[in-house]
Amino acid sequence: MRLKFSLVLYFLAIISFSCSTEFQFQEGDILFQDGNCGDFCDAIRKVTQGYEGRDFSHNGLLMKEDGDWFVLEAIGKGVSKTPLQSFLDKHVDEDGKPKVMIGRLKAEYRHLISPAIEEAQKHLGKPYDSVFDFENDAFYCSELIHFSFKAANGGEDFFTPWPMTYNDPDTGEIFPIWEKYFEKLGVEIPEGKPGLNPGGMSLEPVLEMIEL
């Protein structure tokens, strides 16, 4: 009887340890995702590296609604509210682990989270910003997060926009993939225009980067 009781305690301890080590998401977490977008991602990686040299091609803002987790993100179909598990399942490694890292606002900035989420939700359904233009009423992934926190921060930049480049640093010429992309859209390449990307955003000092 004493042996059985000890075994029960042992297995309860294992279960308790497993639960305690499970990652705890927090509202306002920024999920940085390493996805595969072919030549586009290769071009982005060549001009921008993320936290500790990581490659990030996408990001989204985590929110909780009625006990369920969602990611506010700007994707091809527009600004969307995606169930967290669906977001995590988009890109996984050979072991089935999501290719995601968490950017968590440091304590002194966490008061901005609720108004930023509220602002991001105002843009649900708006189109994806395929021309990467801050002046239109459309959004790409990092742009959505940038403007949501800018609004929450009284109109002051919270994340820092930088002049964007579409040039291959090895040749000084526009990457062919970008040349074809913007030619198809019929717009000028926005070289030097302000913008953000997930890799650059992951280096922002306002964030603590955490392994999932």
Side-chain angles (χ1 to χ4, degrees), residues 65-197:
E65 183 177 76
D66 297 328
D68 295 320
W69 290 108
F70 296 91
V71 181
L72 296 164
E73 58 174 341
I75 50 180
K77 65 180 181 180
V79 180
S80 305
K81 186 168 69 176
T82 304
L84 173 60
Q85 196 59 52
S86 298
F87 183 94
L88 296 176
D89 289 342
K90 285 180 189 176
H91 300 284
V92 298
D93 63 20
E94 60 274 11
D95 298 319
K97 181 181 177 182
K99 297 171 71 175
V100 167
M101 195 169 186
I102 306 302
R104 181 164 292 168
L105 265 66
K106 293 179 179 177
E108 59 266 38
Y109 307 114
R110 295 191 62 79
H111 64 282
L112 298 175
I113 289 172
S114 290
I117 289 174
E118 184 178 344
E119 178 68 18
Q121 289 187 92
K122 292 178 184 177
H123 303 300
L124 285 169
K126 290 186 178 179
Y128 182 78
D129 187 2
S130 57
V131 297
F132 313 122
D133 182 1
F134 271 7
E135 302 301 322
N136 59 15
D137 196 25
F139 298 89
Y140 58 86
C141 61
S142 300
E143 183 182 17
L144 174 67
I145 296 171
H146 164 64
F147 278 109
S148 297
F149 277 95
K150 181 174 182 176
N153 197 37
E156 297 291 327
D157 285 340
F158 184 66
F159 296 104
T160 308
W162 294 96
M164 300 290 278
T165 184
Y166 302 85
N167 288 334
D168 185 331
D170 292 337
T171 66
E173 303 292 330
I174 299 291
F175 282 102
I177 188 69
W178 286 123
E179 198 164 30
K180 292 175 184 177
Y181 175 82
F182 287 106
E183 183 178 347
K184 187 176 180 179
L185 291 174
V187 297
E188 290 186 11
I189 297 171
E191 178 69 21
K193 295 291 182 68
L196 307 98
N197 60 50

Side-chain angles (χ1 to χ4, degrees), residues 7 15 21 23 28 40 45 56 60 69 83 93 102 126 135 138 151 153 169 186 192 194-196 201:
L7 286 172
I15 293 169
T21 57
F23 185 83
F40 288 106
R45 291 181 185 121
F56 299 118
W69 290 108
D93 63 20
I102 306 302
K126 290 186 178 179
E135 302 301 322
N153 197 37
L196 307 98
M201 190 175 280

